[in-house]
Amino acid sequence: MTFFNKKEEILELKLSSYGRQKLAAGKFKPVYYAFFDDDILYDAARAGIVEDNNDIEPRIQENSPSIRCQTNFTDLEAKVKKQTHDKIGDTYHESNVTDLKTDPSVFQDYDGLREVLPLGKSQLGNQYTAAWRVEFMEGRFNSSRSTTYDSNISCSSPFMCQKPIISVPQIQVDLNAQPMLTGKDFKGISDPETDRFISESEEGLFIRIVDDFIVLDIAEANVDLLNDSFSLEVYEITEDEDKKEILVPKMFKKQVQPIVDGILLDQEEIEEQISEAPIDNKFVEFYFDISMDGSIDEKTKREKIFAREKRGNIFDSNLVSQDYQQTPGTELYTSDNDGEDC
C-alpha cells in the first residue's frame, strides 16, 4: 500500500480486479462515474482534534495522506486455499493439499465499491443534508433503522456476518395476503370490492384477494426537485457458500411507449416494442408488480392518495385521476325497452 505524492500526482485511474474480470469477459462497459470522500475527515472534532477554521482546508488538501486506488476486495489467501485445501464448515483443513481442486468461485470477484457511498447532491443555500421522508399510506412496517448495522445479528467474528455500516435507511416490511373463496353476489365480471376482473366457477364462486399491496409516499428533502430525482432498483438477497450476502439485480420488463418525442406512433411501431421474451425469475414482474405515479390504478388513487395533503411541488401534478365515475358490475343491457318500435 502506497500513498499519493500530492505535489506531483493528482488523479489515478486503475481497473479493480472486478473490472479486469469484466474486461477479460468482454463485458466491461462503463456508463457513469462517481466521486467518493470516505477517506476525508471534515470535522476534526470527531477524532478529538481541536483546530481553527482556517486550518481545516490545509489539513484536508495538503496534510492528509491519500492512499492509491484499491483494486482487490477479496481475500487472496482464502482463494488459494479453495484450490489446495478441504473446507469443512468454516475451517480449511490441510488434507490432500497436493491435489489441485477446480473451484470456479476462485475466478469470481465482486464489486467492493458497492459498500461505499458516492458523493450525492444537495440543495444550494440549504444548510441541512439530504433526507428521506417515507409515509405508509397503505400497510405498515415492522421495524426500521437508520444504518445497515443490525443489532440482532451476532457471531464470534462480527466482520464475517455484519455488513459494512453505511448510513442507508433499512425498513422491514412483511406483506401477507390471504386468498378468499367468495360467492358472486353482483353482476358483471368486475369485483366492486377490488375493481379487478374475476374468473367465475360453475358454482358461482371466485377468488378474492384484498390487502395484497402497500402504498408508499416517498419524498427527498433538502434537494432540488426534478422529474428524474428518483431511480428504482430491485435486488434478490442470496448467500454464497461462505454465508456472504449477494445482491442479485432484477430487470424490469420494458414498457411500451405509444408516444415518442411528442409523436403518436402507429400500431405497427407500438407492436414492435412488445417483447416476446418470457417473464422468468430474472424479472421483477415474476414476483410482483410495481406501479408509480400515473400508472397507479384509479381506485387506489381515489381512496389512498388523493386524501393526503398535497406537498405543493411538481410531483402533485404527476397523479391525475380520470374525470369520470364507474360502477363496476352493472348490466349493460336489460329486457326493459322504453324506445319506439322500429
Side-chain angles (χ1 to χ4, degrees):
M1 180 182 297
T2 58
F3 296 91
F4 270 111
N5 183 353
K6 293 190 174 182
K7 295 182 179 180
E8 299 178 358
E9 300 171 308
I10 299 176
L11 184 66
E12 180 184 35
L13 298 177
K14 194 173 183 179
L15 284 179
S16 65
S17 56
Y18 180 79
R20 291 194 297 270
Q21 177 187 348
K22 291 294 184 180
L23 180 63
K27 298 181 179 180
F28 182 71
K29 298 179 180 180
V31 294
Y32 62 89
Y33 63 90
F35 294 98
F36 302 84
D37 63 347
D38 55 296
D39 59 339
I40 298 177
L41 179 64
Y42 292 101
D43 187 1
R46 299 286 185 177
I49 302 174
V50 180
E51 63 179 355
D52 188 77
N53 288 338
N54 296 328
D55 298 332
I56 297 178
E57 183 178 349
R59 173 180 61 81
I60 295 176
Q61 293 191 0
E62 301 173 6
N63 301 326
S64 295
S66 299
I67 62 173
R68 294 186 178 276
C69 297
Q70 181 180 355
T71 61
N72 190 28
F73 300 95
T74 55
D75 188 350
L76 297 180
E77 183 179 358
K79 283 189 172 184
V80 174
K81 285 185 177 181
K82 285 184 178 181
Q83 294 290 81
T84 58
H85 289 59
D86 291 330
K87 184 178 181 182
I88 302 177
D90 295 332
T91 306
Y92 289 95
H93 297 270
E94 295 185 356
S95 59
N96 300 325
V97 294
T98 58
D99 296 334
L100 185 63
K101 302 173 178 59
T102 56
D103 190 342
S105 64
V106 173
F107 306 100
Q108 298 175 359
D109 206 340
Y110 75 103
D111 187 3
L113 292 179
R114 283 190 176 273
E115 300 174 351
V116 184
L117 293 179
L119 288 175
K121 296 181 180 179
S122 60
Q123 196 172 31
L124 293 178
N126 196 328
Q127 61 179 339
Y128 298 103
T129 185
W132 287 104
R133 181 186 183 277
V134 181
E135 178 183 352
F136 279 75
M137 309 186 72
E138 173 66 22
R140 62 181 60 186
F141 65 93
N142 298 335
S143 61
S144 65
R145 57 183 187 271
S146 59
T147 67
T148 55
Y149 175 74
D150 190 356
S151 59
N152 297 323
I153 298 179
S154 61
C155 60
S156 57
S157 301
F159 63 90
M160 294 295 294
C161 59
Q162 280 285 3
K163 304 177 185 177
I165 301 178
I166 304 177
S167 296
V168 176
Q170 308 289 307
I171 302 177
Q172 178 67 35
V173 181
D174 291 333
L175 180 61
N176 298 317
Q178 181 64 43
M180 298 180 297
L181 191 61
T182 307
K184 184 174 180 293
D185 57 357
F186 55 88
K187 297 180 180 180
I189 59 175
S190 179
D191 182 7
E193 183 71 21
T194 61
D195 266 5
R196 298 176 180 175
F197 293 109
I198 66 170
S199 177
E200 182 183 359
S201 66
E202 296 179 356
E203 293 79 11
L205 302 175
F206 70 97
I207 296 178
R208 173 184 290 169
I209 304 179
V210 296
D211 300 332
D212 60 338
F213 65 97
I214 61 175
V215 180
L216 299 178
D217 182 12
I218 303 177
E220 190 176 11
N222 309 322
V223 297
D224 295 326
L225 295 178
L226 304 173
N227 285 327
D228 58 349
S229 296
F230 294 92
S231 60
L232 178 64
E233 296 180 352
V234 178
Y235 295 87
E236 180 184 3
I237 301 178
T238 61
E239 293 182 348
D240 58 11
E241 60 179 11
D242 297 326
K243 303 299 181 181
K244 183 178 180 58
E245 184 179 282
I246 299 177
L247 298 180
V248 182
K250 300 298 179 181
M251 299 182 295
F252 284 95
K253 184 179 179 181
K254 185 178 180 180
Q255 300 294 327
V256 176
Q257 302 293 335
I259 300 177
V260 177
D261 297 331
I263 300 176
L264 180 63
L265 302 181
D266 296 333
Q267 184 63 30
E268 295 181 356
E269 296 175 316
I270 295 178
E271 293 177 354
E272 290 178 356
Q273 300 182 37
I274 302 177
S275 175
E276 300 296 336
I279 301 299
D280 54 16
N281 58 3
K282 297 180 182 178
F283 289 85
V284 175
E285 291 81 3
F286 182 82
Y287 302 93
F288 46 79
D289 294 323
I290 299 179
S291 301
M292 295 170 289
D293 296 340
S295 62
I296 300 175
D297 63 273
E298 296 295 323
K299 180 179 176 63
T300 303
K301 288 181 184 178
R302 295 191 302 267
E303 297 181 358
K304 305 296 182 181
I305 300 178
F306 291 146
R308 69 168 172 81
E309 181 182 357
K310 291 188 176 181
R311 310 297 180 204
N313 54 44
I314 61 176
F315 295 112
D316 287 337
S317 60
N318 288 352
L319 290 170
V320 180
S321 179
Q322 300 293 334
D323 295 331
Y324 67 87
Q325 294 182 351
Q326 179 182 1
T327 303
T330 58
E331 287 184 294
L332 297 179
Y333 304 99
T334 61
S335 58
D336 297 332
N337 188 356
D338 297 333
E340 298 180 355
D341 295 336
C342 296

